[in-house]
Amino acid sequence: MTDAVSEGTLLWQPSSAEQKASRIADYLSFLARTRGLDFADYAQLYNWSVDELGEFWASIAEYFQVKFETSAAPGPTGALPRAHWFECATLNYAEQALARRDQRVALVARNESGERRTWTRAELAEDVARARAGLRRLGVGRGDRVAGLLPNGGEAVIAFLATVSLGAIWSSCAPEFGVSSVLERFRQIEPVVLFTVTRYRYGGKLFERGAEVRRIIADLPSLRGIVSVAADPSELPNATPFEALLAEYEPLSFEPVPFEHP
């Protein structure tokens, strides 16, 4: 038997002005304008979202201006948790992420030394286009797997978006993972390209990982290319430096893939 739980003290509530300026308020206005739906409160909206799954997800895709190459019924088809969503639809995630290419800041990276780097939407799109061109030179195409042994940072985001723009599949591990843990993840997907660092800094300490990285590379026979990020060329002499990968520019294009593409 459990004791009854009473509601606690309300600590904060958005003002009327904040509520009217919220994203959810804008979405409610969108539903009223485009579908004639009028909800008195959040509970009514929630109930509609679970009772009318197809209509709800169709409205979300439209509201956030998701660009489908091939449209389809929103679904879901089949029973949860194995239902299929937007069946037969095709799109590309990177195209959605890079839809706007203006001078607003899109990405901020800061390392432990306090160094800060930013990319505007336009700069990020250009670096992704360059990375995509570099991956194409390494033979990466739709359905290939690309792996990253990288810390959180701008290079990881750029490599990820370039990979998925090609319809390829991205997987990553943090550089502090042990060799066996990395290989357990990467062997099963057989990556054709590996992005990697050979050292990382954490808690004010520098951790050398060159020997471990070379062991990982030796145990991934599927690799056709290695891209080194902030590494000494002598450590991975057969690797392409990240800067060299970005040396050539090609206009961005995006490979449409099924909605459930991994």
Side-chain angles (χ1 to χ4, degrees):
M1 184 175 180
T2 58
D3 295 331
V5 178
S6 60
E7 186 172 343
T9 303
L10 183 64
L11 298 179
W12 177 82
Q13 187 171 1
S15 67
S16 176
E18 288 171 324
Q19 291 180 46
K20 290 178 181 177
S22 68
R23 174 68 87 177
I24 196 73
D26 189 61
Y27 174 60
L28 285 167
S29 176
F30 165 82
L31 290 176
R33 185 172 65 253
T34 61
R35 288 165 169 75
L37 296 172
D38 187 18
F39 300 103
D41 54 26
Y42 181 84
Q44 284 190 8
L45 172 64
Y46 171 80
N47 289 335
W48 173 75
S49 75
V50 295
D51 290 338
E52 302 292 342
L53 282 176
E55 267 297 300
F56 170 67
W57 285 108
S59 75
I60 288 292
E62 183 182 344
Y63 176 71
F64 285 104
Q65 299 177 359
V66 175
K67 182 179 179 181
F68 288 103
E69 187 72 18
T70 305
S71 60
T77 56
L80 294 171
R82 293 181 177 83
H84 298 283
W85 301 82
F86 295 95
E87 208 164 10
C88 299
T90 59
L91 73 167
N92 188 283
Y93 175 82
E95 185 172 14
Q96 321 300 319
L98 300 170
R100 298 177 183 176
R101 304 178 193 175
D102 53 34
Q103 296 307 307
R104 293 185 64 181
V105 172
L107 180 63
V108 179
R110 189 188 294 272
N111 63 22
E112 282 208 356
S113 301
E115 296 171 341
R116 183 178 187 271
R117 185 178 176 190
T118 64
W119 285 259
T120 65
R121 289 169 170 172
E123 290 168 340
L124 180 60
E126 176 165 345
D127 277 359
V128 170
R130 291 177 176 277
R132 182 183 189 278
L135 286 174
R136 276 170 35 86
R137 293 195 301 275
L138 292 175
V140 177
R142 177 177 175 149
D144 285 332
R145 279 76 62 198
V146 175
L149 188 62
L150 299 171
N152 290 329
E155 293 86 357
V157 175
I158 291 164
F160 160 66
L161 290 172
T163 297
V164 298
S165 76
L166 290 164
I169 298 161
W170 173 262
S171 181
S172 66
C173 285
E176 64 266 23
F177 277 27
V179 171
S180 61
S181 297
V182 174
L183 289 174
E184 283 175 7
R185 177 173 293 188
F186 288 165
R187 272 191 191 130
Q188 62 183 313
I189 64 168
E190 299 180 318
V192 297
V193 170
L194 174 69
F195 286 81
T196 185
V197 294
T198 55
R199 62 182 56 82
Y200 68 94
R201 189 176 295 276
Y202 181 76
K205 296 180 180 179
L206 186 66
F207 294 86
E208 296 289 346
R209 301 289 288 170
E212 289 82 358
V213 168
R214 287 188 288 273
R215 285 169 57 195
I216 290 165
I217 291 170
D219 281 339
L220 291 174
S222 59
L223 289 177
R224 301 198 298 259
I226 301 152
V227 180
S228 59
V229 177
D232 187 322
S234 64
E235 295 178 300
L236 300 173
N238 296 322
T240 300
F242 188 79
E243 295 76 14
L245 186 81
L246 271 61
E248 297 180 23
Y249 176 83
E250 290 180 4
L252 263 177
S253 61
F254 303 94
E255 178 70 19
V257 295
F259 186 80
E260 294 181 355
H261 181 72

